[in-house]
Amino acid sequence: MAGNNERESLKRVRIKEENDDMELFTLVVGCVVVIVGALNYKRYKVRDLAWNEHERSQKRAMWLDTLRNNRKCQEQLRFDRRCFEKLCRILRSKGGLVTSRNVTNEEVVAFFLHTLAHNLKNRTIQALFAQSGEIVSRQFHTVLRAVVKIGKYYVKEVDTTTSFFNDPKFKWFEGVVGALDDTHIDMTVPLKDRGRYRDRNGHISTNVLAACDPDLCFTYVLPGWEGSASDQRVLRDALQRHAYNLKVPKDKYFLVDLGYTNSEGFLAPYKGTRYHLNLWRGNTPTNSKELFNLRHSSARNTIERAFGCMKKRWAIMRTNSFYGKKTQVRIINACVILHNFLRFEKMDETALMNEVEQDLQNAVVQEEDGGEDYVVSVRQTEEWNKFRDDLAAKMWNDY
């Protein structure tokens, strides 16, 4: 009897040991399966990521390769191939543009210009260039800083020693240094600021003061003022600010429209007399004031053409963009710098200028309401009115 009990006990112990061994074996096999599966997943995941990165690199390379065609480059970036390559070199050497290992210098400049040319959102650029949103945003601001940095080489003060006697439009105005006017550019601003930035047409915009020479190169630009600010107010600020002020020598002057006072340094046309070029079709001047206004309008039209050329090239200047207020002001400065860069490089702009001329001809005419070595205020004086009358009489006598 005792022997039977002992055998039963040994049998139960043996069965328990076999079950324990089976559980241990199952556990080991399960662990091996999990580890092998994880290794395979990691291998396939790395391979998929590498393949996706390869696809993205190919996509970027194909898009950049299309820019080697001069026509495509102008359509996408508003730059021809020669000017684009030179801009990349200048931004790297003078603008301090430094890119990361994930993007090239040409790539970031290309999507910066593409954004300005077509006013695209960050997400659109992500899809086009197959880059992350962080890279697109960071590199856009990197290139923007570099462009603003080279501004001192392209937006220069008025050269008061230059004579425009050989220019058929400016030869009648001895002492003129260019044309000056303002333009409104739509902006996106916080809700609390919309009242101040709402202009007389009801748009949320910034009032941009600018001056240019007869070659359509901007010599001064002051963006950032609220759309509700008057032209005279912006001009006074430009003359009196301590840094980056508008310098007008005492014996020189800008041509301005009826929105400004006829005062020292700023020669305005006669009020109550035909002025805009659209009004002179099929007509000839009948007195000295009309002749003066006609020639004044022909010369001052350069600032309108400069604005039109810049807005035609950069769509981001025609509608409000998706950036913050400060960034939008810097973008306006960057567009002016790039405009001057292309003027200095003599890029062929015949087709663009023809479109601008056509727009100006079809525009609806709207009449405006009316240091010691530099002009620092805007005041109407009898001396300056007499200067305008004498100049008009001289033109009429020579007519």
Side-chain angles (χ1 to χ4, degrees), residues 263-306:
S263 59
E264 184 182 12
F266 305 97
L267 186 63
Y270 287 100
K271 292 185 178 181
T273 305
R274 282 182 297 180
Y275 177 68
H276 292 278
L277 293 178
N278 294 4
L279 304 176
W280 290 99
R281 295 174 184 173
N283 297 306
T284 56
T286 59
N287 54 56
S288 60
K289 290 185 178 181
E290 287 190 350
L291 178 62
F292 176 88
N293 274 14
L294 173 60
R295 289 177 175 171
H296 186 285
S297 179
S298 298
R300 197 199 62 84
N301 186 254
T302 54
I303 187 65
E304 302 291 349
R305 293 167 61 207

Side-chain angles (χ1 to χ4, degrees), residues 346-364:
K346 307 296 183 183
M347 191 182 87
D348 184 16
E349 298 177 320
T350 305
L352 182 66
M353 293 309 302
N354 289 339
E355 292 182 16
V356 172
E357 293 291 349
Q358 188 65 36
D359 289 346
L360 290 177
Q361 291 178 10
N362 298 332
V364 178

Side-chain angles (χ1 to χ4, degrees), residues 323-341:
Y323 296 95
K325 188 166 61 176
K326 290 183 179 180
T327 301
Q328 290 178 83
V329 171
R330 299 183 74 182
I331 287 174
I332 294 173
N333 282 321
C335 290
V336 170
I337 294 167
L338 295 173
H339 168 88
N340 279 10
F341 173 84

Side-chain angles (χ1 to χ4, degrees), residues 36-88:
V36 172
L39 292 175
N40 286 336
Y41 174 80
K42 182 177 181 180
R43 184 182 64 183
Y44 289 124
K45 186 67 174 177
V46 170
R47 187 183 67 182
D48 291 343
L49 289 174
W51 178 252
N52 290 337
E53 179 58 34
H54 178 67
E55 284 185 329
R56 290 196 294 267
S57 298
Q58 280 191 326
K59 186 176 181 179
R60 292 195 297 269
M62 290 177 61
W63 194 89
L64 291 172
D65 190 59
T66 62
L67 299 181
R68 298 189 182 281
N69 180 288
N70 200 54
R71 181 179 63 83
K72 287 287 186 181
C73 193
Q74 284 188 298
E75 289 177 355
Q76 299 298 324
L77 310 183
R78 304 295 189 259
F79 271 56
D80 62 22
R81 187 66 195 178
R82 175 184 64 85
C83 292
F84 172 66
E85 292 176 349
K86 184 169 184 178
L87 177 65
C88 292

Side-chain angles (χ1 to χ4, degrees), residues 96-115:
L97 179 61
V98 178
T99 56
S100 65
R101 62 183 178 85
N102 298 317
V103 290
T104 63
N105 183 283
E106 289 74 15
E107 185 178 346
V108 296
V109 176
F111 75 64
F112 174 80
L113 295 177
H114 193 66
T115 301

Side-chain angles (χ1 to χ4, degrees), residues 157-159 170 173 175-181 210-213 219-220 235 239 246-249 251-257 260-269 296 300 303 375 384:
E157 294 181 1
V158 176
D159 185 1
F170 281 79
F173 302 95
V176 68
V177 290
L180 179 142
D181 200 0
C212 76
D213 61 20
T219 57
Y220 183 83
L235 179 57
L239 293 172
L246 177 65
K247 296 181 175 63
V248 188
D251 57 341
K252 303 291 182 179
Y253 58 89
F254 283 101
L255 301 180
V256 296
D257 64 8
Y260 299 91
T261 301
N262 184 58
S263 59
E264 184 182 12
F266 305 97
L267 186 63
H296 186 285
R300 197 199 62 84
I303 187 65
V375 177
W384 200 252

